[in-house]
Amino acid sequence: MPKRHPLDVVIIGAGVVGAAIAYYAARSGLSVAVVDRGPVAGGTTGAGEGNLLVSDKEAGPELDLALLSAGLWRELAAVLPQEIEYEAKGGLVVAPDEASLAALRTFADGQREAGVEAVEAGAGELRDLEPHLAPGPVGAFLYPQDAQVQPAQAAARLLAASGASVHLGEEVTEILTGPAGVRGVRTPGGELLAPAVVNAAGTWGGRIAELAGVTLPVLPRRGFVLVTEPLPQLVRHKVYAADYISDVASGSAALQSSAVVEGTPAGPVLIGATRERVGFDRSLSVEALRRLATQASALFPVLARARVLRTYHGFRPYLPDHLPAIGPDPRLPGLLHACGHEGAGIGLAPATGVLIAAALAGAQPPLPLAPFRPDRFAEDPR
């Protein structure tokens, strides 16, 4: 079996997280290989909407990660091709009643202390912000830092800009180890030798961890998206109802849905998002699609007349405490993890890349890694 030239790091996963790690690791002067059993963005990344959100995260480690990433995405948008479709469109979180608005105020107060821009808008201002929004909401909060990218393009362009050697269609079958720890990976195409391996395999991160002899309880959480026919600009911001925030934070396995509605540069409107834990069941859920269509039309009645051209779905990599695993695994020297971002991986990818690159280079990370420790789970809940 052929052995390929020694590297500094092998990254498993060619989604946007793996691509961002490759980009920042290469900028740190490291020689990098990326390996994936499928194509670039063939997993969760390719099934995402491209959300870059701070609005849905309460004050804490994930919000700190999101704020760092928001700044990094702005920098990347200036140097990567326009095909990544970066849009600083802002988010609008709508409150249907006074109780929801009061809860949003409390939520936003905590976010502001962490550095989030959150601007309250009264009912009378909503028509100016979103002319096609249904009447009825008592208010909303505007989040100017929320943005959008085309996720598959973002992953591909980051990977190309990294200069990493890329090995697609090659499944990792073994994590190679020795007395000092990790020494590379084995695929059907041969061995890729390196003293560091990064598990950026998304929903399959638990399986890669098992190959390395450690436990990481990543679970798939299925979600659907509706795509309408191309339309004139009907939706100016990323708009969602306040209950989306509680859905994101929930650990329930049951079907949950709360419409997130946004336009795209090409014209189609994207409508998400559902969440349910059904393993890797790829069957179509008519109930999930019905809920999304109903909730989107309630927010924007004009969409009731729009044709849905297609739907797609994928699996978010879910960890029990809703925080990703980022950083070195103390159980096996040379093994690092960067997975479990659930539905926020596209938004959090650049910050994750910077943190992993710092760990690989032995540099001080811009944020503490302790909240994201891969070995923080005492037991596997599966």
Side-chain angles (χ1 to χ4, degrees):
M1 179 173 289
K3 296 182 179 181
R4 302 176 218 184
H5 295 298
L7 302 148
D8 292 316
V9 58
V10 176
I11 300 164
I12 304 171
V16 71
V17 171
I21 295 166
Y23 179 83
Y24 288 107
R27 282 169 57 100
S28 299
L30 302 177
S31 58
V32 181
V34 176
V35 61
D36 196 298
R37 67 181 183 181
V40 174
T44 301
T45 296
E49 292 178 71
N51 292 335
L52 315 180
L53 301 184
V54 300
S55 56
D56 63 341
K57 296 170 181 64
E58 66 178 338
E62 189 183 26
L63 180 57
D64 295 339
L65 202 62
L67 286 167
L68 174 60
S69 262
L72 292 169
W73 270 120
R74 287 192 292 271
E75 294 175 6
L76 290 169
V79 297
L80 293 178
Q82 291 184 349
E83 283 83 356
I84 72 166
E85 296 183 7
Y86 177 83
E87 290 184 275
K89 62 173 62 174
L92 189 69
V93 186
V94 178
D97 51 47
E98 290 295 344
S100 296
L101 187 60
L104 280 179
R105 284 195 192 104
T106 302
F107 190 74
D109 286 343
Q111 291 176 311
R112 288 192 189 100
E113 292 180 11
V116 172
E117 298 174 49
V119 182
E120 185 170 352
E125 302 170 82
L126 295 183
R127 285 306 263 192
D128 291 332
L129 290 168
E130 288 290 347
H132 297 282
L133 190 68
V138 300
F141 272 81
L142 178 65
Y143 287 86
Q145 291 155 299
D146 281 359
Q148 177 82 15
V149 292
Q150 207 295 331
Q153 282 282 1
R157 302 295 175 164
L158 275 168
L159 201 53
S162 76
S165 63
V166 181
H167 306 268
L168 301 177
E170 295 192 34
E171 183 171 3
V172 172
T173 57
E174 185 179 349
I175 306 294
L176 303 173
T177 61
V182 163
R183 61 181 188 88
V185 304
R186 177 174 288 124
T187 77
E191 294 180 354
L192 290 166
L193 302 179
V197 169
V198 181
N199 172 15
T203 311
W204 296 273
R207 296 183 184 179
I208 296 300
E210 288 174 4
L211 288 179
V214 300
T215 297
L216 191 65
V218 181
L219 299 172
R221 205 175 185 193
R222 188 174 69 180
F224 287 87
V225 176
L226 302 179
V227 184
T228 75
E229 63 187 315
L231 298 168
Q233 188 184 42
L234 300 176
V235 185
R236 297 177 178 178
H237 302 85
K238 188 182 298 288
V239 182
Y240 61 88
D243 56 356
Y244 173 79
I245 295 172
S246 59
D247 280 1
V248 170
S250 170
S252 172
L255 174 63
Q256 298 169 306
S257 65
S258 180
V260 180
V261 183
E262 61 193 302
T264 64
V269 172
L270 302 181
I271 302 167
T274 63
R275 284 173 163 76
E276 56 185 330
R277 292 218 312 271
V278 291
F280 285 100
D281 180 0
R282 290 190 171 274
S283 60
L284 190 70
S285 170
V286 175
E287 174 62 16
L289 302 181
R290 184 192 64 78
R291 286 195 198 182
L292 286 178
T294 300
Q295 291 168 341
S297 298
L299 274 175
F300 290 93
V302 67
L303 291 178
R305 300 191 299 272
R307 290 183 303 159
V308 172
L309 294 187
R310 65 185 181 96
T311 70
Y312 62 91
H313 61 285
F315 300 96
R316 303 174 183 88
Y318 163 88
L319 281 168
D321 62 0
H322 299 282
L323 287 179
I326 303 173
D329 192 322
R331 297 168 292 187
L332 179 60
L335 176 66
L336 300 91
H337 299 279
C339 57
H341 297 75
E342 202 172 332
I346 295 159
L348 302 180
T352 301
V354 166
L355 291 179
I356 292 291
L360 290 167
Q364 182 70 28
L367 292 174
L369 287 175
F372 311 110
R373 281 179 62 102
D375 62 333
R376 66 187 185 269
F377 302 100
E379 296 179 359
D380 185 337
R382 289 174 291 187

